[in-house]
Amino acid sequence: MHRFALRTAVLCAVILTPVAHAQGQGQLTDPPFSVPRATLDAALDCSSPGLQQHPEHEPVLLVHGTFTKGHEQFAWNWELRLQSEGFDYCVVTYPYRGTGDQQVAAEYIANAVERMHERSGRPVDMLGHSQGASMPRWAIKYWPTVQADLDDFVPIAGPNHGTEVAASPNGLTAAGFGMPPAFFQFSPASNFNRHVNLVDETPGTIDYTSIYSYDDELVQPSYPVPTAALDWQQHNPHVANVNVQDVCPGRVVEHLSIGTTDAFAMALALDAFTHPGPGDPARVASATCSAPDQYVTPQTFAGFSKAGNGPTFADFTNTPRTNAEPATAGYAQESDGTP
């Protein structure tokens, strides 16, 4: 579903309308990046320079989760699948293996979507797993160009309203050793979650397909109100909240596999990318509920070489630590009219 007209309208509004910061009016201009553009650009790696090898599909941005990096998570699964299905794609890697301030990580997403749109001349689709499913919503909310450039977003196993696993401070914090900033922001009571979910959980006319599992050990609760769901029971035609077991009873899908190798999650995401509106389980369930859980091809093991050698000692020694949640960005406070 192409949205060139929408993007033009949004950009005209940005140009012609004075910036307003009153509560409920929202941010009308993109906030400035705190990270140099050269650094943001270097974090984006694409399947082709101009993203023009497969013009029949919109290019896809892959966003990794916490404790990993872009190709490390996707080179042996989603990158292979997108290649086989005829998609151009890019992979972004944000800092500190996702343990830093998610507000800063969101700048990497905003830049990636903007650059992909510039290069391809087409709307962009995005798929993210875990933090890569929830953190990009900050970029969507506060960067109007992301809302204009993004067509579909498929968040998989995203703690969109926080997770009970991070509900209370860690003992290390109580002892004065601190925790990575992102961990505070995963709390359901965090300012990060409060701001990103204020007023409108799904801004713009983006189609959202949120996929999650009862068996997810990290993103909880999954019942009765799933933290991964967006616009829960609001009947938003731009939103599909899909629990794997509701469609495929008895299918065992935990946190890692749902975002990397689960055949049903892959099929539903591809359905969203190739049809107007969000993904529809009815179009894919019969073919995938009985399919093997894991996506494995002859290229899978070769993909591990592109994934790299895994974490280094420096990945952990350089992890930032703090004793409290990072302060909410000024642009978010001004846009939402609340600290």
Side-chain angles (χ1 to χ4, degrees), residues 197-280:
N197 290 309
L198 274 174
V199 183
D200 186 358
E201 294 186 1
T202 56
T205 55
I206 299 161
D207 292 316
Y208 296 79
T209 305
S210 182
I211 309 172
Y212 49 95
S213 169
Y214 288 131
D215 299 328
D216 192 321
E217 70 279 14
L218 295 180
V219 178
Q220 291 291 332
S222 59
Y223 180 87
V225 180
T227 187
L230 295 168
D231 288 349
W232 179 244
Q233 295 184 337
Q234 292 185 28
H235 309 292
N236 185 339
H238 289 289
V239 177
N241 292 305
V242 182
N243 181 284
V244 174
Q245 287 80 25
D246 286 346
V247 182
C248 303
R251 191 175 183 88
V252 178
V253 188
E254 40 67 55
H255 187 71
L256 177 61
S257 65
I258 194 174
T260 55
T261 60
D262 182 69
F264 173 76
M266 281 189 162
L268 185 58
L270 290 167
D271 180 81
F273 294 155
T274 54
H275 292 84
D280 183 356

Side-chain angles (χ1 to χ4, degrees), residues 66-67 95-102 131 166 170 172-173 177-187 315-316 318-326:
T66 314
F67 295 129
Y96 304 118
R97 291 185 170 272
T99 60
D101 185 349
Q102 295 187 57
Q131 181 182 161
N170 186 285
L172 291 174
T173 302
F177 293 105
M179 284 198 305
F183 290 15
F184 288 96
Q185 294 165 324
F186 286 136
S187 168
D315 284 335
F316 297 100
N318 292 338
T319 297
R321 290 185 177 275
T322 180
N323 287 311
E325 181 182 356

Side-chain angles (χ1 to χ4, degrees), residues 21 27 31 103 138 142 195 327-339:
H21 295 301
Q27 187 92 8
Q103 298 169 106
W138 189 272
Y142 294 112
H195 275 273
T328 302
Y331 60 80
Q333 295 187 45
E334 292 180 38
S335 174
D336 298 334
T338 180

Side-chain angles (χ1 to χ4, degrees), residues 85-143:
E85 299 287 342
F87 282 81
D88 293 312
Y89 65 88
C90 296
V91 181
V92 65
T93 297
Y94 49 98
Y96 304 118
R97 291 185 170 272
T99 60
D101 185 349
Q102 295 187 57
Q103 298 169 106
V104 176
E107 296 185 20
Y108 287 74
I109 311 308
N111 180 73
V113 172
E114 181 180 339
R115 293 306 201 204
M116 289 177 67
H117 177 81
E118 289 174 352
R119 295 177 191 179
S120 69
R122 288 171 285 157
V124 176
D125 293 338
M126 179 165 63
L127 178 143
H129 172 237
S130 193
Q131 181 182 161
S134 54
M135 171 272 291
R137 295 179 56 229
W138 189 272
I140 292 171
K141 178 169 185 178
Y142 294 112
W143 271 264

Side-chain angles (χ1 to χ4, degrees), residues 21-47:
H21 295 301
Q23 185 172 6
Q25 287 183 292
Q27 187 92 8
L28 296 179
T29 58
D30 288 348
F33 291 130
S34 65
V35 180
R37 274 280 195 165
T39 302
L40 297 175
D41 288 343
L44 185 65
D45 188 32
C46 299
S47 57

